[in-house]
Amino acid sequence: DTEVTQTPKHLVMGMTNKKSLKCEQHMGHRAMYWYKQKAKKPPELMFVYSYEKLSINESVPSRFSPECPNSSLLNLHLHALQPEDSALYLCASSLRLAGAHEQYFGPGTRLTVT
Amino acid sequence: TQLLEQSPQFLSIQEGENLTVYCNSSSVFSSLQWYRQEPGEGPVLLVTVVTGGEVKKLKRLTFQFGDARKDSSLHITAAQTGDTGLYLCAARRGSQGNLIFGKGTKLSVKP
C-alpha cells in the first residue's frame, strides 16, 4: 500500500475564512511534506516534518500553519489567505527524511481563494 | 538558475511513436526519481535510480541514470494515449537534501 490520502479534494474559501487541509498515510513513513503547485509549474516545497517535528520551513508566510498531530496525520491550517495562494496543495510522505527514500504523493487539494 | 533542466518542455506525438525525455544537471545527485502527473492529480512515482549507469525498465518505459549521476533519460516505446501527462524528474543532492524538481515535460499522445 503506497497510498497517501488528502481531504478535501476541492476547497473554495474567502480571504477571511479559516480552513484546514488534511493528509493521512498508514505506510509507517516518518517524514511528511507539504508542497504547493501552481498551474504549469513543478511542486514547490513548503514544509517538512520528520518524526512529527517541523524540520524544514521554506520561508512560508504565517497564514499557512502546519501541524503534525501524530505519525500518520499532517494538517495545513489556512487563515487570511490571498487570491494568489490559489493552487494545488500536495502532501507527500517518505520512509525517512534522510537517505534515498522515495516520496509518495497524495492526490492534492485544489484550493481557490476568492 | 534551474538545477534540473528537462527537455523538451512540450511534446506532441501520434500513438505508436517512440520518444525520449531528458533531465540534465551540472550537479551530482544521490538519487533521481521520475514522476507522471495528470491534471489536478498528485505526481505518481514511476521509478527511482540511484546507481550511475543504471537502466530500469517498466513495461514500455526505459529509464537511464547517467554514469556521473548528473542526468537521466526516459524513453517510451510505442506510446499510447494513456501515456499523456506531465513527466517530472526530481533529485536529491545529498542524503539530507530536499527533493528538487525539474519543470517537467508535458506529453500529449494523440490517437
Side-chain angles (χ1 to χ4, degrees), chain B residues 64-82:
Chain B
Q64 186 161 7
F65 201 15
D67 290 342
R69 303 203 322 272
K70 293 182 179 181
D71 51 79
S72 180
S73 63
L74 158 59
H75 182 80
I76 301 179
T77 304
Q80 299 176 357
T81 55

Side-chain angles (χ1 to χ4, degrees), chain A residues 37 56 58 99 102-103, chain B residues 35 37 41 48 92 95 98:
Chain A
Q37 187 177 26
I56 296 171
E58 291 285 353
E102 295 112 337
Q103 288 187 25
Chain B
Y35 292 85
Q37 185 177 24
E41 298 291 330
T48 298
R92 289 177 184 258
S95 62
N98 295 336

